[in-house]
Amino acid sequence: MKNRIKELRAKNDLTQDQLAEQLEVSRQTIISLERERYNPSIILAFKLAKIFNCQIEDIFIYEGEK
């Protein structure tokens, strides 16, 4: 699943460490999310949306079945 986490993090002047701390996850989790190697839980997706003040759909782009 594609996402805009890196873009939104930069727009909000957050480092990977700062975002990880706010989400209560490791920096490695943020790296994996940004590289699209990991799809977050629904709870983590809601936390991201709250931090970025947007809807989940504004962060994650579902591309359907391949």
Side-chain angles (χ1 to χ4, degrees):
M1 180 179 328
K2 299 272 186 206
N3 71 65
R4 299 177 52 226
I5 295 171
K6 186 173 185 176
E7 171 192 341
L8 292 167
R9 179 177 59 75
K11 184 177 177 181
N12 286 275
D13 289 325
L14 292 170
T15 65
Q16 289 176 334
D17 284 323
Q18 290 169 328
L19 182 57
E21 187 175 315
Q22 287 186 30
L23 292 169
E24 299 177 330
V25 299
S26 69
R27 180 172 172 259
Q28 188 61 42
T29 298
I30 303 304
I31 292 168
S32 294
L33 285 167
E34 289 183 355
R35 292 182 179 169
E36 299 172 355
R37 293 183 182 162
Y38 169 70
N39 291 327
S41 68
I42 191 70
I43 293 169
L44 187 55
F46 273 107
K47 286 181 178 182
L48 282 162
K50 185 175 181 178
I51 288 169
F52 295 137
N53 194 32
C54 65
Q55 299 294 313
I56 291 174
E57 295 87 351
D58 296 330
I59 303 170
F60 299 96
I61 299 97
Y62 178 69
E63 296 180 316
E65 299 295 322
K66 293 187 176 187

